[in-house]
Amino acid sequence: MGRKVVTVVGAGSLRCAPPVLASIASPRFEHALEVRLFDANIERLDLMGRLLSRMFEITRAQHVFAMHPNLGLSLRGTDAAVVCLYEDCARRMTGKTATRVLLPADPIEPEKLSELSRGDMNKPTPMHELSPMTLAALAMPDNEGRSRDEVVANALALTMERIEGDVLILNLTRNASISPSVLHRSLDWPPTLEPEVHATFPHRILRWIDGDFELDGYMEGFKDSPVAKWMVNDFGAM
């Protein structure tokens, strides 16, 4: 029997990702899963990928996971999608970013390239030669005058366009609805983080990744969470 695949869209969400990942990692599911994490913010994606790896290490789960900066690839052939989009990810998915705007429209002439050498701060690598990973790390979303709710709604619509076939959908995105014509479930969970908690949460996650035993107790609290119950009752993870 092949592994069932579940994709977390917006896996860099500080509000949603740790509870969702703990809800997948903590229960003793009978069948091993393939978990795909998608986020347009590469740094957040890396952070949550490292957190999930640590969670699987603690529970000795046989699940496997992969990180995808490409929405279409993350959803290709998936059986379920947990959608937890947030503003930064949504802006990166639907708008221009600062580094892309800086890229030259036309290729630089070879003789000019020879005048630039890597590793010298006075002769930096030209923008068009930077790797996609570096560009993503440097990228800043372009606000384009759109509100948080507008960009999240646009990103949610884009996600629905990329989902093909009979896929179970769980929407955790705040203030963004999926059309009633699309079969899905929505949960008003988890609660919004207080500003001070949101600001310090990445440091807390880094402590967990580095071996802080607080993570064990944190995960224990999500064995019977709404998402864990959805995984069992709707997705059939058991």
PDB file of all heavy atoms in Angstrom, residues 52-75:
ATOM      1  N   LEU A  52       9.585  19.893  11.692  1.00  0.00           N
ATOM      2  CA  LEU A  52       8.906  18.628  11.438  1.00  0.00           C
ATOM      3  C   LEU A  52       9.876  17.456  11.523  1.00  0.00           C
ATOM      4  O   LEU A  52       9.538  16.393  12.050  1.00  0.00           O
ATOM      5  CB  LEU A  52       8.234  18.659  10.062  1.00  0.00           C
ATOM      6  CG  LEU A  52       7.404  17.422   9.704  1.00  0.00           C
ATOM      7  CD1 LEU A  52       6.302  17.178  10.733  1.00  0.00           C
ATOM      8  CD2 LEU A  52       6.810  17.559   8.306  1.00  0.00           C
ATOM      9  N   SER A  53      11.086  17.646  11.026  1.00  0.00           N
ATOM     10  CA  SER A  53      12.097  16.600  11.122  1.00  0.00           C
ATOM     11  C   SER A  53      12.367  16.253  12.588  1.00  0.00           C
ATOM     12  O   SER A  53      12.488  15.072  12.956  1.00  0.00           O
ATOM     13  CB  SER A  53      13.387  17.060  10.439  1.00  0.00           C
ATOM     14  OG  SER A  53      14.407  16.095  10.564  1.00  0.00           O
ATOM     15  N   ARG A  54      12.461  17.270  13.417  1.00  0.00           N
ATOM     16  CA  ARG A  54      12.683  17.061  14.853  1.00  0.00           C
ATOM     17  C   ARG A  54      11.500  16.340  15.488  1.00  0.00           C
ATOM     18  O   ARG A  54      11.675  15.435  16.318  1.00  0.00           O
ATOM     19  CB  ARG A  54      12.921  18.415  15.533  1.00  0.00           C
ATOM     20  CG  ARG A  54      13.102  18.342  17.047  1.00  0.00           C
ATOM     21  CD  ARG A  54      14.300  17.535  17.442  1.00  0.00           C
ATOM     22  NE  ARG A  54      14.413  17.427  18.890  1.00  0.00           N
ATOM     23  CZ  ARG A  54      14.915  16.378  19.536  1.00  0.00           C
ATOM     24  NH1 ARG A  54      15.370  15.327  18.848  1.00  0.00           N
ATOM     25  NH2 ARG A  54      14.986  16.363  20.838  1.00  0.00           N
ATOM     26  N   MET A  55      10.282  16.704  15.088  1.00  0.00           N
ATOM     27  CA  MET A  55       9.087  16.042  15.627  1.00  0.00           C
ATOM     28  C   MET A  55       9.058  14.565  15.256  1.00  0.00           C
ATOM     29  O   MET A  55       8.755  13.711  16.099  1.00  0.00           O
ATOM     30  CB  MET A  55       7.830  16.737  15.095  1.00  0.00           C
ATOM     31  CG  MET A  55       7.561  18.100  15.703  1.00  0.00           C
ATOM     32  SD  MET A  55       6.065  18.841  14.979  1.00  0.00           S
ATOM     33  CE  MET A  55       5.843  20.270  16.057  1.00  0.00           C
ATOM     34  N   PHE A  56       9.356  14.258  14.011  1.00  0.00           N
ATOM     35  CA  PHE A  56       9.381  12.859  13.583  1.00  0.00           C
ATOM     36  C   PHE A  56      10.478  12.082  14.319  1.00  0.00           C
ATOM     37  O   PHE A  56      10.338  10.891  14.614  1.00  0.00           O
ATOM     38  CB  PHE A  56       9.604  12.769  12.078  1.00  0.00           C
ATOM     39  CG  PHE A  56       8.402  13.130  11.245  1.00  0.00           C
ATOM     40  CD1 PHE A  56       8.516  13.325   9.873  1.00  0.00           C
ATOM     41  CD2 PHE A  56       7.153  13.280  11.824  1.00  0.00           C
ATOM     42  CE1 PHE A  56       7.415  13.647   9.102  1.00  0.00           C
ATOM     43  CE2 PHE A  56       6.034  13.601  11.064  1.00  0.00           C
ATOM     44  CZ  PHE A  56       6.169  13.790   9.692  1.00  0.00           C
ATOM     45  N   GLU A  57      11.564  12.757  14.608  1.00  0.00           N
ATOM     46  CA  GLU A  57      12.660  12.143  15.355  1.00  0.00           C
ATOM     47  C   GLU A  57      12.204  11.776  16.770  1.00  0.00           C
ATOM     48  O   GLU A  57      12.503  10.686  17.275  1.00  0.00           O
ATOM     49  CB  GLU A  57      13.825  13.129  15.412  1.00  0.00           C
ATOM     50  CG  GLU A  57      15.103  12.589  16.008  1.00  0.00           C
ATOM     51  CD  GLU A  57      16.202  13.639  15.988  1.00  0.00           C
ATOM     52  OE1 GLU A  57      16.635  14.024  14.893  1.00  0.00           O
ATOM     53  OE2 GLU A  57      16.606  14.085  17.080  1.00  0.00           O
ATOM     54  N   ILE A  58      11.454  12.676  17.409  1.00  0.00           N
ATOM     55  CA  ILE A  58      10.973  12.440  18.773  1.00  0.00           C
ATOM     56  C   ILE A  58       9.989  11.273  18.812  1.00  0.00           C
ATOM     57  O   ILE A  58      10.069  10.404  19.697  1.00  0.00           O
ATOM     58  CB  ILE A  58      10.313  13.716  19.334  1.00  0.00           C
ATOM     59  CG1 ILE A  58      11.380  14.786  19.592  1.00  0.00           C
ATOM     60  CG2 ILE A  58       9.545  13.415  20.624  1.00  0.00           C
ATOM     61  CD1 ILE A  58      10.803  16.146  19.977  1.00  0.00           C
ATOM     62  N   THR A  59       9.042  11.257  17.862  1.00  0.00           N
ATOM     63  CA  THR A  59       8.002  10.221  17.875  1.00  0.00           C
ATOM     64  C   THR A  59       8.423   8.935  17.168  1.00  0.00           C
ATOM     65  O   THR A  59       7.701   7.942  17.210  1.00  0.00           O
ATOM     66  CB  THR A  59       6.727  10.747  17.197  1.00  0.00           C
ATOM     67  OG1 THR A  59       7.017  11.097  15.833  1.00  0.00           O
ATOM     68  CG2 THR A  59       6.208  11.981  17.925  1.00  0.00           C
ATOM     69  N   ARG A  60       9.591   8.971  16.511  1.00  0.00           N
ATOM     70  CA  ARG A  60      10.088   7.830  15.743  1.00  0.00           C
ATOM     71  C   ARG A  60       9.085   7.404  14.683  1.00  0.00           C
ATOM     72  O   ARG A  60       8.936   6.206  14.370  1.00  0.00           O
ATOM     73  CB  ARG A  60      10.425   6.661  16.670  1.00  0.00           C
ATOM     74  CG  ARG A  60      11.518   6.987  17.668  1.00  0.00           C
ATOM     75  CD  ARG A  60      11.875   5.814  18.542  1.00  0.00           C
ATOM     76  NE  ARG A  60      12.917   6.160  19.499  1.00  0.00           N
ATOM     77  CZ  ARG A  60      13.402   5.327  20.414  1.00  0.00           C
ATOM     78  NH1 ARG A  60      12.942   4.072  20.488  1.00  0.00           N
ATOM     79  NH2 ARG A  60      14.354   5.717  21.243  1.00  0.00           N
ATOM     80  N   ALA A  61       8.382   8.388  14.141  1.00  0.00           N
ATOM     81  CA  ALA A  61       7.394   8.122  13.102  1.00  0.00           C
ATOM     82  C   ALA A  61       8.085   7.705  11.809  1.00  0.00           C
ATOM     83  O   ALA A  61       9.202   8.122  11.520  1.00  0.00           O
ATOM     84  CB  ALA A  61       6.541   9.372  12.866  1.00  0.00           C
ATOM     85  N   GLN A  62       7.399   6.888  11.040  1.00  0.00           N
ATOM     86  CA  GLN A  62       7.935   6.406   9.766  1.00  0.00           C
ATOM     87  C   GLN A  62       7.501   7.285   8.600  1.00  0.00           C
ATOM     88  O   GLN A  62       7.730   6.950   7.446  1.00  0.00           O
ATOM     89  CB  GLN A  62       7.469   4.964   9.521  1.00  0.00           C
ATOM     90  CG  GLN A  62       7.970   3.973  10.558  1.00  0.00           C
ATOM     91  CD  GLN A  62       9.487   3.965  10.665  1.00  0.00           C
ATOM     92  OE1 GLN A  62      10.183   3.759   9.662  1.00  0.00           O
ATOM     93  NE2 GLN A  62      10.003   4.172  11.865  1.00  0.00           N
ATOM     94  N   HIS A  63       6.873   8.424   8.911  1.00  0.00           N
ATOM     95  CA  HIS A  63       6.457   9.347   7.856  1.00  0.00           C
ATOM     96  C   HIS A  63       7.686   9.947   7.165  1.00  0.00           C
ATOM     97  O   HIS A  63       8.766  10.033   7.762  1.00  0.00           O
ATOM     98  CB  HIS A  63       5.625  10.494   8.436  1.00  0.00           C
ATOM     99  CG  HIS A  63       4.499  10.058   9.317  1.00  0.00           C
ATOM    100  ND1 HIS A  63       3.619   9.056   8.967  1.00  0.00           N
ATOM    101  CD2 HIS A  63       4.103  10.491  10.544  1.00  0.00           C
ATOM    102  CE1 HIS A  63       2.727   8.896   9.934  1.00  0.00           C
ATOM    103  NE2 HIS A  63       3.013   9.744  10.904  1.00  0.00           N
ATOM    104  N   VAL A  64       7.502  10.369   5.944  1.00  0.00           N
ATOM    105  CA  VAL A  64       8.539  11.099   5.226  1.00  0.00           C
ATOM    106  C   VAL A  64       7.973  12.472   4.864  1.00  0.00           C
ATOM    107  O   VAL A  64       6.750  12.663   4.841  1.00  0.00           O
ATOM    108  CB  VAL A  64       8.991  10.364   3.946  1.00  0.00           C
ATOM    109  CG1 VAL A  64       9.623   9.034   4.297  1.00  0.00           C
ATOM    110  CG2 VAL A  64       7.832  10.187   2.974  1.00  0.00           C
ATOM    111  N   PHE A  65       8.867  13.429   4.614  1.00  0.00           N
ATOM    112  CA  PHE A  65       8.382  14.743   4.238  1.00  0.00           C
ATOM    113  C   PHE A  65       9.310  15.375   3.214  1.00  0.00           C
ATOM    114  O   PHE A  65      10.473  14.987   3.071  1.00  0.00           O
ATOM    115  CB  PHE A  65       8.233  15.651   5.469  1.00  0.00           C
ATOM    116  CG  PHE A  65       9.523  16.251   5.958  1.00  0.00           C
ATOM    117  CD1 PHE A  65       9.919  17.522   5.553  1.00  0.00           C
ATOM    118  CD2 PHE A  65      10.348  15.546   6.825  1.00  0.00           C
ATOM    119  CE1 PHE A  65      11.108  18.072   6.007  1.00  0.00           C
ATOM    120  CE2 PHE A  65      11.532  16.087   7.292  1.00  0.00           C
ATOM    121  CZ  PHE A  65      11.911  17.364   6.873  1.00  0.00           C
ATOM    122  N   ALA A  66       8.758  16.355   2.507  1.00  0.00           N
ATOM    123  CA  ALA A  66       9.531  17.107   1.524  1.00  0.00           C
ATOM    124  C   ALA A  66       9.080  18.559   1.582  1.00  0.00           C
ATOM    125  O   ALA A  66       7.924  18.856   1.896  1.00  0.00           O
ATOM    126  CB  ALA A  66       9.330  16.541   0.121  1.00  0.00           C
ATOM    127  N   MET A  67      10.012  19.465   1.291  1.00  0.00           N
ATOM    128  CA  MET A  67       9.707  20.896   1.269  1.00  0.00           C
ATOM    129  C   MET A  67       9.638  21.365  -0.179  1.00  0.00           C
ATOM    130  O   MET A  67      10.510  21.037  -0.976  1.00  0.00           O
ATOM    131  CB  MET A  67      10.779  21.676   2.035  1.00  0.00           C
ATOM    132  CG  MET A  67      10.842  21.329   3.512  1.00  0.00           C
ATOM    133  SD  MET A  67      12.106  22.307   4.397  1.00  0.00           S
ATOM    134  CE  MET A  67      13.610  21.589   3.718  1.00  0.00           C
ATOM    135  N   HIS A  68       8.597  22.122  -0.497  1.00  0.00           N
ATOM    136  CA  HIS A  68       8.383  22.582  -1.869  1.00  0.00           C
ATOM    137  C   HIS A  68       8.171  24.090  -1.901  1.00  0.00           C
ATOM    138  O   HIS A  68       7.212  24.586  -1.311  1.00  0.00           O
ATOM    139  CB  HIS A  68       7.143  21.913  -2.474  1.00  0.00           C
ATOM    140  CG  HIS A  68       7.310  20.468  -2.777  1.00  0.00           C
ATOM    141  ND1 HIS A  68       7.818  19.995  -3.962  1.00  0.00           N
ATOM    142  CD2 HIS A  68       7.028  19.369  -2.032  1.00  0.00           C
ATOM    143  CE1 HIS A  68       7.846  18.674  -3.947  1.00  0.00           C
ATOM    144  NE2 HIS A  68       7.368  18.274  -2.778  1.00  0.00           N
ATOM    145  N   PRO A  69       9.008  24.838  -2.606  1.00  0.00           N
ATOM    146  CA  PRO A  69       8.737  26.261  -2.822  1.00  0.00           C
ATOM    147  C   PRO A  69       7.835  26.485  -4.029  1.00  0.00           C
ATOM    148  O   PRO A  69       7.492  27.612  -4.351  1.00  0.00           O
ATOM    149  CB  PRO A  69      10.137  26.856  -3.054  1.00  0.00           C
ATOM    150  CG  PRO A  69      10.902  25.735  -3.666  1.00  0.00           C
ATOM    151  CD  PRO A  69      10.356  24.469  -3.069  1.00  0.00           C
ATOM    152  N   ASN A  70       7.461  25.401  -4.707  1.00  0.00           N
ATOM    153  CA  ASN A  70       6.611  25.463  -5.895  1.00  0.00           C
ATOM    154  C   ASN A  70       5.242  24.889  -5.559  1.00  0.00           C
ATOM    155  O   ASN A  70       5.117  23.712  -5.214  1.00  0.00           O
ATOM    156  CB  ASN A  70       7.243  24.688  -7.052  1.00  0.00           C
ATOM    157  CG  ASN A  70       6.422  24.759  -8.331  1.00  0.00           C
ATOM    158  OD1 ASN A  70       5.376  24.137  -8.435  1.00  0.00           O
ATOM    159  ND2 ASN A  70       6.908  25.515  -9.304  1.00  0.00           N
ATOM    160  N   LEU A  71       4.195  25.715  -5.659  1.00  0.00           N
ATOM    161  CA  LEU A  71       2.854  25.304  -5.269  1.00  0.00           C
ATOM    162  C   LEU A  71       2.350  24.133  -6.099  1.00  0.00           C
ATOM    163  O   LEU A  71       1.815  23.158  -5.558  1.00  0.00           O
ATOM    164  CB  LEU A  71       1.890  26.493  -5.400  1.00  0.00           C
ATOM    165  CG  LEU A  71       0.416  26.226  -5.076  1.00  0.00           C
ATOM    166  CD1 LEU A  71       0.243  25.809  -3.628  1.00  0.00           C
ATOM    167  CD2 LEU A  71      -0.433  27.451  -5.391  1.00  0.00           C
ATOM    168  N   GLY A  72       2.502  24.224  -7.411  1.00  0.00           N
ATOM    169  CA  GLY A  72       2.002  23.175  -8.284  1.00  0.00           C
ATOM    170  C   GLY A  72       2.615  21.823  -7.983  1.00  0.00           C
ATOM    171  O   GLY A  72       1.906  20.806  -7.913  1.00  0.00           O
ATOM    172  N   LEU A  73       3.926  21.790  -7.790  1.00  0.00           N
ATOM    173  CA  LEU A  73       4.599  20.523  -7.490  1.00  0.00           C
ATOM    174  C   LEU A  73       4.167  19.962  -6.145  1.00  0.00           C
ATOM    175  O   LEU A  73       4.030  18.752  -5.984  1.00  0.00           O
ATOM    176  CB  LEU A  73       6.115  20.724  -7.517  1.00  0.00           C
ATOM    177  CG  LEU A  73       6.752  20.979  -8.888  1.00  0.00           C
ATOM    178  CD1 LEU A  73       8.251  21.194  -8.747  1.00  0.00           C
ATOM    179  CD2 LEU A  73       6.474  19.818  -9.830  1.00  0.00           C
ATOM    180  N   SER A  74       3.945  20.846  -5.179  1.00  0.00           N
ATOM    181  CA  SER A  74       3.550  20.373  -3.848  1.00  0.00           C
ATOM    182  C   SER A  74       2.182  19.717  -3.868  1.00  0.00           C
ATOM    183  O   SER A  74       1.894  18.832  -3.045  1.00  0.00           O
ATOM    184  CB  SER A  74       3.563  21.536  -2.850  1.00  0.00           C
ATOM    185  OG  SER A  74       2.458  22.408  -3.058  1.00  0.00           O
ATOM    186  N   LEU A  75       1.329  20.125  -4.800  1.00  0.00           N
ATOM    187  CA  LEU A  75      -0.048  19.611  -4.854  1.00  0.00           C
ATOM    188  C   LEU A  75      -0.225  18.486  -5.866  1.00  0.00           C
ATOM    189  O   LEU A  75      -1.278  17.848  -5.902  1.00  0.00           O
ATOM    190  CB  LEU A  75      -1.011  20.753  -5.195  1.00  0.00           C
ATOM    191  CG  LEU A  75      -1.190  21.812  -4.103  1.00  0.00           C
ATOM    192  CD1 LEU A  75      -1.930  23.020  -4.654  1.00  0.00           C
ATOM    193  CD2 LEU A  75      -1.918  21.236  -2.889  1.00  0.00           C
TER     194      LEU A  75
END
